[in-house]
Amino acid sequence: MTITAGKIKCGSLVFFCLLSCMSCKKTAPPETGEVDSEWIENRGHLYEYGICVDSLDITNYTIKSGDSPSAIFTRIGFSANMTDRLCKASGEVFDPKKLRAGMTYTTIAARDSLAAIRYIVFARSMTDFSIIELAGDSIKAYGYNKEIRFERRYMEGVITSSLWNIIKNKGADPLLALKISDILAWQVDFFDVKEGDSFRVAYNVAFIDDTTSLNVSSVEGLVFVHRGKEFTAIPFTQDSIREYFDAEGNSLRGAFLKAPLDFFRITSRFTNARFHPILKRYRAHHGVDYAAPTGTPVKTIGDGAVVAKGFDKNGGGNFVRIKHNSVYTTTYMHLSRFGNGIQPGAHVKQGAVIGYVGSTGLSTGPHLDFRVHKNGQPTDPLKMESPPAEPVRAGLRDSFNLIRHTVLAEMDSMRLTVEN
Protein backbone atom coordinates (compact mmCIF):
# COMPACT_ATOMS: atom_id res chain seq x y z
CA MET A 1 0.00 0.00 0.00
CA THR A 2 1.13 3.56 -0.74
CA ILE A 3 0.89 6.61 1.50
CA THR A 4 0.01 9.85 -0.28
CA ALA A 5 -0.87 13.17 1.32
CA GLY A 6 -2.27 11.62 4.44
CA LYS A 7 -4.08 8.88 2.54
CA ILE A 8 -3.23 5.23 2.03
CA LYS A 9 -4.62 3.55 -1.03
CA CYS A 10 -5.57 -0.02 -0.22
CA GLY A 11 -6.29 -2.90 -2.57
CA SER A 12 -9.85 -3.01 -3.80
CA LEU A 13 -12.41 -5.68 -3.08
CA VAL A 14 -13.61 -6.51 -6.56
CA PHE A 15 -16.95 -8.07 -7.31
CA PHE A 16 -17.50 -8.73 -11.02
CA CYS A 17 -20.71 -10.09 -12.46
CA LEU A 18 -19.74 -12.60 -15.12
CA LEU A 19 -21.33 -11.54 -18.35
CA SER A 20 -20.51 -12.17 -21.99
CA CYS A 21 -19.72 -9.15 -24.14
CA MET A 22 -19.72 -9.35 -27.94
CA SER A 23 -17.24 -6.48 -28.35
CA CYS A 24 -14.64 -7.92 -25.94
CA LYS A 25 -12.21 -10.71 -26.68
CA LYS A 26 -12.37 -12.26 -23.20
CA THR A 27 -15.59 -13.53 -21.65
CA ALA A 28 -16.42 -15.21 -18.37
CA PRO A 29 -19.57 -17.36 -18.16
CA PRO A 30 -22.05 -16.26 -15.47
CA GLU A 31 -22.52 -19.84 -14.29
CA THR A 32 -18.93 -20.45 -13.18
CA GLY A 33 -18.44 -17.71 -10.60
CA GLU A 34 -14.83 -17.44 -11.79
CA VAL A 35 -13.25 -14.42 -13.47
CA ASP A 36 -10.35 -14.54 -15.93
CA SER A 37 -7.74 -12.00 -14.75
CA GLU A 38 -7.06 -10.95 -18.34
CA TRP A 39 -10.78 -10.35 -18.78
CA ILE A 40 -10.78 -8.12 -15.67
CA GLU A 41 -7.77 -6.15 -16.86
CA ASN A 42 -8.96 -5.80 -20.45
CA ARG A 43 -8.25 -2.20 -21.33
CA GLY A 44 -9.84 0.16 -23.83
CA HIS A 45 -13.43 -0.84 -23.05
CA LEU A 46 -16.13 0.88 -21.01
CA TYR A 47 -17.98 -1.13 -18.36
CA GLU A 48 -21.18 -0.42 -16.44
CA TYR A 49 -22.54 -2.96 -13.94
CA GLY A 50 -19.94 -5.43 -15.21
CA ILE A 51 -21.33 -5.08 -18.76
CA CYS A 52 -19.20 -3.96 -21.69
CA VAL A 53 -21.22 -1.01 -23.06
CA ASP A 54 -18.93 0.21 -25.86
CA SER A 55 -21.68 -0.07 -28.48
CA LEU A 56 -24.73 0.20 -26.22
CA ASP A 57 -26.94 3.11 -25.11
CA ILE A 58 -27.70 3.67 -21.42
CA THR A 59 -30.91 5.34 -20.20
CA ASN A 60 -31.67 6.04 -16.53
CA TYR A 61 -35.14 6.23 -14.97
CA THR A 62 -36.64 6.98 -11.57
CA ILE A 63 -39.36 4.78 -10.06
CA LYS A 64 -42.62 6.63 -9.44
CA SER A 65 -45.14 6.16 -6.65
CA GLY A 66 -47.30 3.11 -7.36
CA ASP A 67 -44.91 1.60 -9.90
CA SER A 68 -44.70 -2.18 -10.15
CA PRO A 69 -42.30 -4.30 -12.24
CA SER A 70 -45.03 -5.04 -14.76
CA ALA A 71 -45.87 -1.32 -15.10
CA ILE A 72 -42.18 -0.52 -15.60
CA PHE A 73 -41.67 -3.26 -18.23
CA THR A 74 -44.76 -2.10 -20.10
CA ARG A 75 -43.67 1.54 -19.96
CA ILE A 76 -40.32 0.80 -21.57
CA GLY A 77 -41.99 -0.95 -24.48
CA PHE A 78 -42.45 -4.66 -23.74
CA SER A 79 -45.57 -6.60 -24.74
CA ALA A 80 -47.90 -8.13 -22.17
CA ASN A 81 -46.50 -11.60 -22.89
CA MET A 82 -42.89 -10.43 -22.55
CA THR A 83 -43.71 -8.46 -19.40
CA ASP A 84 -45.08 -11.63 -17.82
CA ARG A 85 -41.91 -13.54 -18.75
CA LEU A 86 -39.69 -10.75 -17.36
CA CYS A 87 -41.60 -10.69 -14.06
CA LYS A 88 -41.25 -14.44 -13.64
CA ALA A 89 -37.57 -14.51 -14.60
CA SER A 90 -36.61 -11.65 -12.27
CA GLY A 91 -38.45 -13.00 -9.25
CA GLU A 92 -35.39 -14.83 -7.88
CA VAL A 93 -33.23 -11.69 -7.61
CA PHE A 94 -35.77 -8.88 -7.44
CA ASP A 95 -38.46 -8.47 -4.77
CA PRO A 96 -41.27 -6.25 -6.16
CA LYS A 97 -42.42 -5.51 -2.59
CA LYS A 98 -39.22 -3.56 -2.03
CA LEU A 99 -39.85 -1.11 -4.88
CA ARG A 100 -39.97 2.44 -3.56
CA ALA A 101 -40.57 5.77 -5.25
CA GLY A 102 -37.25 7.48 -5.91
CA MET A 103 -35.31 4.27 -6.56
CA THR A 104 -33.69 4.04 -9.98
CA TYR A 105 -33.50 1.60 -12.86
CA THR A 106 -31.54 1.58 -16.10
CA THR A 107 -31.99 0.17 -19.57
CA ILE A 108 -29.03 -0.77 -21.75
CA ALA A 109 -29.98 -1.07 -25.42
CA ALA A 110 -28.37 -1.82 -28.76
CA ARG A 111 -27.18 1.21 -30.68
CA ASP A 112 -28.95 0.40 -33.95
CA SER A 113 -32.23 1.02 -35.75
CA LEU A 114 -34.11 -1.48 -33.56
CA ALA A 115 -32.67 -0.14 -30.28
CA ALA A 116 -33.55 -3.45 -28.63
CA ILE A 117 -33.09 -3.53 -24.86
CA ARG A 118 -30.34 -5.96 -23.88
CA TYR A 119 -30.27 -5.37 -20.11
CA ILE A 120 -32.53 -3.90 -17.42
CA VAL A 121 -30.76 -2.94 -14.16
CA PHE A 122 -32.64 -2.23 -10.90
CA ALA A 123 -30.69 -0.50 -8.11
CA ARG A 124 -31.26 -2.10 -4.69
CA SER A 125 -28.71 0.24 -3.11
CA MET A 126 -25.67 2.25 -4.17
CA THR A 127 -23.67 -0.97 -4.50
CA ASP A 128 -26.22 -3.77 -5.06
CA PHE A 129 -28.15 -4.31 -8.29
CA SER A 130 -30.51 -6.79 -9.92
CA ILE A 131 -29.82 -7.33 -13.63
CA ILE A 132 -32.12 -8.83 -16.24
CA GLU A 133 -30.31 -9.91 -19.42
CA LEU A 134 -32.17 -10.47 -22.67
CA ALA A 135 -30.38 -12.50 -25.35
CA GLY A 136 -32.65 -13.57 -28.16
CA ASP A 137 -35.48 -15.61 -26.65
CA SER A 138 -33.65 -16.29 -23.39
CA ILE A 139 -33.92 -14.23 -20.19
CA LYS A 140 -31.39 -14.40 -17.37
CA ALA A 141 -31.55 -12.62 -14.01
CA TYR A 142 -28.75 -12.26 -11.47
CA GLY A 143 -27.35 -9.96 -8.83
CA TYR A 144 -24.38 -7.64 -9.20
CA ASN A 145 -22.24 -5.79 -6.66
CA LYS A 146 -20.33 -2.71 -7.69
CA GLU A 147 -16.64 -2.62 -6.95
CA ILE A 148 -15.89 -1.18 -3.52
CA ARG A 149 -12.52 0.45 -2.90
CA PHE A 150 -11.19 1.30 0.53
CA GLU A 151 -8.88 4.23 1.10
CA ARG A 152 -6.93 4.55 4.34
CA ARG A 153 -6.89 8.04 5.86
CA TYR A 154 -5.38 9.65 8.91
CA MET A 155 -6.47 12.56 11.09
CA GLU A 156 -5.37 14.13 14.34
CA GLY A 157 -6.51 17.14 16.28
CA VAL A 158 -6.88 18.98 19.56
CA ILE A 159 -10.45 19.49 20.75
CA THR A 160 -11.61 23.05 21.32
CA SER A 161 -15.39 22.50 21.40
CA SER A 162 -16.45 18.97 20.48
CA LEU A 163 -15.11 15.94 18.63
CA TRP A 164 -17.93 16.27 16.09
CA ASN A 165 -17.06 19.90 15.30
CA ILE A 166 -13.32 19.40 14.89
CA ILE A 167 -13.78 16.42 12.55
CA LYS A 168 -16.37 18.32 10.51
CA ASN A 169 -14.15 21.43 10.37
CA LYS A 170 -11.29 19.31 9.03
CA GLY A 171 -13.50 18.32 6.10
CA ALA A 172 -14.10 14.71 7.12
CA ASP A 173 -17.40 12.87 7.49
CA PRO A 174 -18.73 13.58 11.03
CA LEU A 175 -19.75 9.91 11.12
CA LEU A 176 -16.14 9.35 12.18
CA ALA A 177 -16.93 11.09 15.48
CA LEU A 178 -19.75 8.61 16.11
CA LYS A 179 -17.49 5.64 15.37
CA ILE A 180 -14.83 6.96 17.74
CA SER A 181 -17.38 7.59 20.49
CA ASP A 182 -18.82 4.09 19.99
CA ILE A 183 -15.39 2.48 20.36
CA LEU A 184 -14.57 4.31 23.60
CA ALA A 185 -18.15 4.53 24.88
CA TRP A 186 -17.24 2.61 28.04
CA GLN A 187 -14.09 4.64 28.81
CA VAL A 188 -14.91 8.23 27.84
CA ASP A 189 -18.00 10.41 28.27
CA PHE A 190 -17.82 12.33 25.00
CA PHE A 191 -20.01 15.08 26.35
CA ASP A 192 -17.47 15.67 29.05
CA VAL A 193 -14.47 16.06 26.73
CA LYS A 194 -12.31 18.98 27.76
CA GLU A 195 -10.59 21.66 25.77
CA GLY A 196 -7.12 20.30 25.11
CA ASP A 197 -8.19 16.66 24.78
CA SER A 198 -6.69 15.22 21.60
CA PHE A 199 -6.94 12.30 19.22
CA ARG A 200 -5.12 10.47 16.44
CA VAL A 201 -7.08 8.11 14.20
CA ALA A 202 -6.48 5.93 11.15
CA TYR A 203 -9.66 4.96 9.32
CA ASN A 204 -10.98 3.55 6.05
CA VAL A 205 -13.35 5.35 3.68
CA ALA A 206 -15.34 3.23 1.21
CA PHE A 207 -15.65 4.39 -2.41
CA ILE A 208 -17.58 3.20 -5.43
CA ASP A 209 -16.91 4.28 -9.00
CA ASP A 210 -13.53 5.58 -7.76
CA THR A 211 -14.97 8.98 -6.81
CA THR A 212 -18.25 8.41 -4.94
CA SER A 213 -17.64 8.20 -1.20
CA LEU A 214 -20.02 5.88 0.65
CA ASN A 215 -19.02 6.51 4.25
CA VAL A 216 -16.39 5.95 6.91
CA SER A 217 -16.29 2.17 6.86
CA SER A 218 -14.05 1.40 9.85
CA VAL A 219 -11.59 2.76 12.39
CA GLU A 220 -8.23 1.01 11.97
CA GLY A 221 -6.36 2.53 14.91
CA LEU A 222 -7.11 5.16 17.56
CA VAL A 223 -5.30 7.05 20.30
CA PHE A 224 -7.47 9.40 22.37
CA VAL A 225 -6.18 11.57 25.23
CA HIS A 226 -8.85 12.62 27.76
CA ARG A 227 -7.96 14.60 30.87
CA GLY A 228 -4.33 13.62 30.42
CA LYS A 229 -5.07 9.88 30.23
CA GLU A 230 -4.32 8.06 26.97
CA PHE A 231 -6.76 5.51 25.57
CA THR A 232 -5.61 3.26 22.71
CA ALA A 233 -7.92 1.22 20.48
CA ILE A 234 -6.53 -1.65 18.40
CA PRO A 235 -8.86 -3.68 16.14
CA PHE A 236 -8.39 -7.43 16.59
CA THR A 237 -10.46 -10.46 15.60
CA GLN A 238 -11.12 -13.09 18.27
CA ASP A 239 -13.65 -15.92 17.88
CA SER A 240 -14.47 -14.51 14.42
CA ILE A 241 -15.61 -11.23 16.04
CA ARG A 242 -13.75 -8.00 15.31
CA GLU A 243 -13.45 -5.93 18.47
CA TYR A 244 -11.26 -3.16 19.86
CA PHE A 245 -8.71 -3.70 22.63
CA ASP A 246 -6.43 -1.39 24.58
CA ALA A 247 -2.63 -1.58 24.33
CA GLU A 248 -2.55 -4.34 26.99
CA GLY A 249 -5.13 -6.48 25.19
CA ASN A 250 -8.10 -5.63 27.42
CA SER A 251 -11.44 -5.34 25.66
CA LEU A 252 -12.83 -1.83 25.28
CA ARG A 253 -16.34 -3.27 25.26
CA GLY A 254 -17.92 -3.11 28.70
CA ALA A 255 -21.08 -4.71 29.94
CA PHE A 256 -22.88 -1.36 29.69
CA LEU A 257 -22.61 1.75 27.55
CA LYS A 258 -21.63 4.96 29.31
CA ALA A 259 -24.88 6.62 28.24
CA PRO A 260 -28.09 5.70 26.39
CA LEU A 261 -27.77 8.64 23.95
CA ASP A 262 -25.06 9.59 21.49
CA PHE A 263 -25.34 13.35 22.00
CA PHE A 264 -26.99 15.01 24.98
CA ARG A 265 -26.68 17.49 27.84
CA ILE A 266 -27.15 16.45 31.46
CA THR A 267 -29.76 18.70 33.06
CA SER A 268 -30.46 16.84 36.29
CA ARG A 269 -28.44 14.32 38.26
CA PHE A 270 -29.17 11.53 40.72
CA THR A 271 -30.31 13.06 44.04
CA ASN A 272 -32.57 12.44 47.01
CA ALA A 273 -33.89 16.02 47.02
CA ARG A 274 -34.54 17.73 43.71
CA PHE A 275 -36.97 20.61 43.28
CA HIS A 276 -39.49 19.39 40.72
CA PRO A 277 -40.15 22.16 38.15
CA ILE A 278 -43.80 21.14 37.65
CA LEU A 279 -44.86 19.85 41.08
CA LYS A 280 -43.01 22.78 42.76
CA ARG A 281 -41.72 20.67 45.63
CA TYR A 282 -38.65 18.72 46.59
CA ARG A 283 -38.59 15.00 46.02
CA ALA A 284 -36.09 12.26 45.17
CA HIS A 285 -34.87 12.03 41.59
CA HIS A 286 -33.24 8.62 41.29
CA GLY A 287 -32.11 9.02 37.73
CA VAL A 288 -30.25 11.24 35.28
CA ASP A 289 -31.99 13.62 32.89
CA TYR A 290 -30.40 13.91 29.44
CA ALA A 291 -31.70 16.87 27.40
CA ALA A 292 -31.81 16.12 23.67
CA PRO A 293 -34.02 17.04 20.69
CA THR A 294 -37.33 15.22 20.28
CA GLY A 295 -36.80 12.13 18.16
CA THR A 296 -33.20 11.49 19.25
CA PRO A 297 -32.69 7.68 19.33
CA VAL A 298 -32.48 6.14 22.81
CA LYS A 299 -30.31 3.02 23.07
CA THR A 300 -30.29 0.27 25.63
CA ILE A 301 -27.01 0.32 27.52
CA GLY A 302 -26.71 -3.46 27.52
CA ASP A 303 -28.17 -6.79 26.38
CA GLY A 304 -31.38 -7.76 28.11
CA ALA A 305 -35.11 -8.45 27.93
CA VAL A 306 -37.93 -5.91 27.86
CA VAL A 307 -39.95 -6.45 31.04
CA ALA A 308 -42.29 -3.44 30.76
CA LYS A 309 -43.47 -0.93 28.19
CA GLY A 310 -46.27 1.58 28.42
CA PHE A 311 -47.35 4.90 29.89
CA ASP A 312 -46.42 5.78 33.47
CA LYS A 313 -49.27 7.82 34.98
CA ASN A 314 -47.05 8.96 37.85
CA GLY A 315 -45.16 11.32 35.57
CA GLY A 316 -42.79 9.11 33.60
CA GLY A 317 -44.85 9.18 30.41
CA ASN A 318 -43.94 6.61 27.76
CA PHE A 319 -41.33 4.27 29.23
CA VAL A 320 -39.40 1.06 28.59
CA ARG A 321 -37.86 -1.11 31.31
CA ILE A 322 -35.12 -3.65 30.53
CA LYS A 323 -33.81 -6.41 32.77
CA HIS A 324 -30.15 -7.06 31.92
CA ASN A 325 -29.39 -9.83 34.41
CA SER A 326 -30.19 -10.81 37.99
CA VAL A 327 -28.55 -7.61 39.26
CA TYR A 328 -29.29 -4.72 36.88
CA THR A 329 -32.48 -3.21 35.45
CA THR A 330 -32.70 0.06 33.49
CA THR A 331 -35.66 2.34 32.76
CA TYR A 332 -36.02 4.92 29.96
CA MET A 333 -38.78 7.54 30.44
CA HIS A 334 -40.59 10.47 28.71
CA LEU A 335 -40.21 8.79 25.30
CA SER A 336 -42.03 10.29 22.31
CA ARG A 337 -42.44 6.84 20.78
CA PHE A 338 -41.07 3.30 21.03
CA GLY A 339 -38.53 1.48 18.88
CA ASN A 340 -39.55 -1.20 16.39
CA GLY A 341 -40.29 -4.56 17.99
CA ILE A 342 -40.11 -3.24 21.56
CA GLN A 343 -42.63 -5.36 23.45
CA PRO A 344 -42.55 -7.12 26.82
CA GLY A 345 -40.55 -10.31 26.41
CA ALA A 346 -38.49 -9.03 23.48
CA HIS A 347 -34.73 -9.52 23.75
CA VAL A 348 -32.54 -6.56 22.84
CA LYS A 349 -28.85 -6.24 22.10
CA GLN A 350 -26.61 -3.55 23.52
CA GLY A 351 -27.01 -0.34 21.51
CA ALA A 352 -30.41 -1.29 20.08
CA VAL A 353 -32.82 1.64 19.68
CA ILE A 354 -35.63 1.08 22.18
CA GLY A 355 -37.32 4.48 21.82
CA TYR A 356 -36.95 8.15 21.00
CA VAL A 357 -36.56 11.23 23.18
CA GLY A 358 -39.80 13.05 23.92
CA SER A 359 -41.62 15.07 26.57
CA THR A 360 -44.47 12.80 27.62
CA GLY A 361 -45.65 12.72 31.22
CA LEU A 362 -44.55 15.40 33.71
CA SER A 363 -41.91 17.14 31.62
CA THR A 364 -41.00 20.74 30.82
CA GLY A 365 -39.19 19.86 27.59
CA PRO A 366 -37.75 17.00 25.53
CA HIS A 367 -35.37 14.85 27.56
CA LEU A 368 -34.69 11.29 28.68
CA ASP A 369 -35.07 10.34 32.34
CA PHE A 370 -32.72 7.36 32.66
CA ARG A 371 -32.75 5.15 35.75
CA VAL A 372 -30.74 2.16 36.92
CA HIS A 373 -31.63 -0.32 39.64
CA LYS A 374 -29.02 -2.63 41.13
CA ASN A 375 -30.43 -5.55 43.12
CA GLY A 376 -33.74 -3.68 43.23
CA GLN A 377 -32.26 -0.48 44.62
CA PRO A 378 -31.82 2.79 42.65
CA THR A 379 -28.19 3.54 41.84
CA ASP A 380 -26.52 6.55 40.23
CA PRO A 381 -26.00 5.77 36.51
CA LEU A 382 -23.05 8.17 36.36
CA LYS A 383 -21.20 6.27 39.10
CA MET A 384 -22.04 2.73 37.99
CA GLU A 385 -18.99 0.61 37.20
CA SER A 386 -19.10 -1.65 34.17
CA PRO A 387 -17.07 -4.88 34.17
CA PRO A 388 -14.96 -5.29 30.99
CA ALA A 389 -15.54 -8.01 28.42
CA GLU A 390 -13.11 -10.85 27.77
CA PRO A 391 -9.52 -9.74 27.00
CA VAL A 392 -7.31 -11.19 24.26
CA ARG A 393 -6.76 -14.85 25.15
CA ALA A 394 -3.28 -16.07 26.07
CA GLY A 395 -2.99 -18.17 22.91
CA LEU A 396 -3.58 -15.12 20.71
CA ARG A 397 -1.30 -12.68 22.56
CA ASP A 398 1.56 -12.94 20.08
CA SER A 399 -0.77 -12.26 17.16
CA PHE A 400 -2.32 -9.31 18.97
CA ASN A 401 1.07 -7.82 19.87
CA LEU A 402 2.14 -8.02 16.23
CA ILE A 403 -1.04 -6.28 15.05
CA ARG A 404 -0.74 -3.63 17.77
CA HIS A 405 2.83 -2.88 16.70
CA THR A 406 1.80 -2.73 13.02
CA VAL A 407 -1.17 -0.42 13.68
CA LEU A 408 0.76 2.05 15.83
CA ALA A 409 3.75 2.04 13.47
CA GLU A 410 1.45 2.72 10.52
CA MET A 411 -0.17 5.63 12.38
CA ASP A 412 3.26 7.08 13.18
CA SER A 413 4.25 6.76 9.53
CA MET A 414 1.05 8.48 8.34
CA ARG A 415 1.56 11.23 10.89
CA LEU A 416 5.02 11.98 9.51
CA THR A 417 3.69 11.93 5.96
CA VAL A 418 0.95 14.45 6.78
CA GLU A 419 3.38 16.72 8.64
CA ASN A 420 5.78 16.71 5.71
Side-chain angles (χ1 to χ4, degrees):
M1 57 179 67
T2 2
I3 303 176
T4 56
K7 303 177 182 179
I8 295 187
K9 295 184 178 179
C10 305
S12 300
L13 295 179
V14 183
F15 301 94
F16 276 91
C17 212
L18 310 177
L19 304 167
S20 58
C21 178
M22 294 176 63
S23 61
C24 300
K25 295 180 180 179
K26 293 286 182 179
T27 61
E31 295 84 1
T32 63
E34 298 176 359
V35 181
D36 187 310
S37 61
E38 292 183 22
W39 184 78
I40 292 176
E41 296 170 0
N42 193 347
R43 299 183 179 182
H45 297 287
L46 178 63
Y47 285 85
E48 289 287 347
Y49 313 106
I51 302 165
C52 186
V53 295
D54 291 350
S55 57
L56 301 174
D57 283 330
I58 299 174
T59 307
N60 297 310
Y61 302 87
T62 300
I63 293 175
K64 302 173 183 177
S65 179
D67 269 351
S68 64
S70 59
I72 291 170
F73 296 142
T74 300
R75 185 185 304 135
I76 59 179
F78 289 104
S79 66
N81 179 57
M82 192 60 175
T83 291
D84 182 61
R85 290 183 61 200
L86 289 169
C87 288
K88 291 178 180 177
S90 62
E92 295 182 5
V93 296
F94 183 63
D95 185 354
K97 295 179 182 178
K98 294 184 178 180
L99 273 183
R100 297 290 183 271
M103 294 173 66
T104 61
Y105 64 97
T106 299
T107 60
I108 302 176
R111 192 177 295 167
D112 55 28
S113 57
L114 296 178
I117 293 176
R118 300 275 186 85
Y119 303 90
I120 307 169
V121 182
F122 287 93
R124 296 187 298 229
S125 70
M126 291 182 69
T127 57
D128 299 329
F129 301 85
S130 295
I131 299 179
I132 304 171
E133 178 186 1
L134 297 92
D137 290 332
S138 69
I139 301 174
K140 295 179 182 178
Y142 47 86
Y144 172 79
N145 296 90
K146 272 196 175 182
E147 176 184 352
I148 301 176
R149 178 175 61 85
F150 295 97
E151 186 175 272
R152 185 72 53 82
R153 295 187 175 182
Y154 174 83
M155 178 185 293
E156 62 180 54
V158 177
I159 295 173
T160 55
S161 58
S162 71
L163 181 63
W164 178 281
N165 286 339
I166 190 171
I167 287 176
K168 185 177 180 181
N169 291 340
K170 284 179 174 285
D173 187 344
L175 176 63
L176 179 60
L178 294 181
K179 289 190 175 292
I180 291 174
S181 63
D182 282 347
I183 291 169
L184 294 177
W186 300 278
Q187 288 72 35
V188 177
D189 181 349
F190 279 88
F191 291 88
D192 189 37
V193 293
K194 302 298 182 184
E195 186 173 345
D197 285 357
S198 62
F199 69 95
R200 300 170 53 212
V201 60
Y203 60 102
N204 282 342
V205 178
F207 287 85
I208 55 173
D209 299 330
D210 291 328
T211 56
T212 304
S213 174
L214 289 178
N215 52 40
V216 175
S217 63
S218 63
V219 170
E220 297 300 317
L222 170 66
V223 177
F224 195 96
V225 179
H226 175 55
R227 295 189 175 191
K229 184 176 180 181
E230 184 174 285
F231 299 90
T232 301
I234 306 296
F236 184 72
T237 301
Q238 180 170 261
D239 296 329
S240 300
I241 299 174
R242 190 176 192 261
E243 294 187 55
Y244 292 89
F245 298 84
D246 66 18
E248 286 70 45
N250 298 309
S251 175
L252 295 176
R253 177 174 57 86
F256 298 121
L257 295 174
K258 278 281 188 182
L261 298 172
D262 282 332
F263 294 97
F264 55 83
R265 177 172 55 89
I266 294 176
T267 55
S268 183
R269 296 174 181 265
F270 187 96
T271 178
N272 288 316
R274 184 191 72 157
F275 185 76
H276 197 283
I278 294 179
L279 300 178
K280 305 299 182 183
R281 61 184 173 87
Y282 287 93
R283 71 173 186 172
H285 181 253
H286 289 158
V288 174
D289 285 350
Y290 296 100
T294 297
T296 300
V298 176
K299 302 185 293 186
T300 172
I301 65 168
D303 295 356
V306 177
V307 292
K309 166 203 170 185
F311 187 87
D312 176 23
K313 296 180 180 179
N314 294 321
N318 292 330
F319 77 97
V320 173
R321 183 169 296 119
I322 295 174
K323 186 177 181 63
H324 300 283
N325 49 38
S326 60
V327 177
Y328 287 101
T329 301
T330 56
T331 305
Y332 311 78
M333 303 165 69
H334 302 305
L335 303 174
S336 59
R337 57 191 177 96
F338 303 104
N340 292 333
I342 299 302
Q343 296 292 342
H347 289 272
V348 292
K349 287 291 186 181
Q350 183 182 72
V353 175
I354 50 91
Y356 299 85
V357 169
S359 189
T360 55
L362 292 179
S363 170
T364 57
H367 73 285
L368 172 71
D369 185 342
F370 174 59
R371 306 197 175 199
V372 178
H373 281 75
K374 181 179 181 180
N375 294 318
Q377 298 298 315
T379 186
D380 188 346
L382 299 179
K383 296 180 179 179
M384 181 176 61
E385 293 185 1
S386 177
E390 182 184 2
V392 174
R393 292 197 301 275
L396 297 174
R397 281 284 175 170
D398 288 344
S399 297
F400 172 77
N401 290 336
L402 177 60
I403 289 177
R404 178 192 61 196
H405 173 77
T406 302
V407 167
L408 296 178
E410 181 184 51
M411 289 178 68
D412 288 341
S413 176
M414 286 188 284
R415 185 179 202 175
L416 290 173
T417 302
V418 172
E419 291 175 350
N420 294 332

